[in-house]
Amino acid sequence: MEDTMSNKNEPITNPALKQAMERMHKGEHSREAQMVTLQMLLKAQLLAPVSVTQGKGDAQIHFQLLSTQDDRAFFPAFTDLEELHRCFDKPDQQTLVLAFADYARMILKDKSAQGLVVNPLGNSLTLEQSLVEFLDKVQKEENKEEL
């Protein structure tokens, strides 16, 4: 299985996804608008805030979680640095570039997170664990068909 995690030095931007999320926040909730937004999310490269600690010869990566008022944890994901800095404004904030499939694996394997929230302090998109699982299955089926 190909690892979709990336550490490229190219800036991560997702203008089409951000625009689609903005349209949804402005009230465009048609099924088509939702499907377009979710399809863009499945293809996006997102920024994941992490902290990295060096051990003896290896590094430990710790993914940040955000908690809701009712103590439910979600992995935050960001479309670009501007959105990341709204939530994590440390100049030395470490990040990894992840695809949706990476988040899905973590959410479905670990169970410590209830889902994923994209741009939590902007025009956010929240995906509960059940929707993450469904989209992960859809994406895997699409990938099989492309082979």
Side-chain angles (χ1 to χ4, degrees), residues 74-132:
F74 286 81
F75 282 112
F78 299 91
T79 55
D80 53 41
L81 281 174
E82 176 187 356
E83 294 295 337
L84 174 80
H85 289 147
R86 285 184 185 198
C87 197
F88 296 91
D89 61 355
K90 297 187 307 186
D92 61 342
Q93 176 62 57
Q94 296 171 307
T95 60
L96 286 178
V97 178
L98 302 181
F100 174 82
D102 300 314
Y103 280 104
R105 275 194 300 268
M106 292 188 303
I107 291 165
L108 300 175
K109 178 183 174 190
D110 187 346
K111 305 286 188 201
S112 64
Q114 302 298 309
L116 170 70
V117 60
V118 182
N119 296 346
L121 296 183
N123 291 319
S124 64
L125 177 64
T126 302
L127 288 80
E128 300 281 341
Q129 186 175 358
S130 58
L131 181 55
V132 169

Side-chain angles (χ1 to χ4, degrees), residues 3-4 12 14 28 30 35 42 50 55-56 58 60 83-84 90 96 108 110 121 126 133 135 138:
D3 187 8
T4 54
I12 297 299
N14 292 283
E28 191 176 326
S30 69
M35 294 302 293
L42 292 179
V50 297
K56 294 180 180 179
D58 63 347
Q60 294 279 331
E83 294 295 337
L84 174 80
K90 297 187 307 186
L96 286 178
L108 300 175
D110 187 346
L121 296 183
T126 302
E133 185 173 10
L135 291 173
V138 167

Side-chain angles (χ1 to χ4, degrees), residues 50-65:
V50 297
S51 60
V52 180
T53 55
Q54 290 293 84
K56 294 180 180 179
D58 63 347
Q60 294 279 331
I61 298 173
H62 303 278
F63 287 86
Q64 307 289 326
L65 290 172

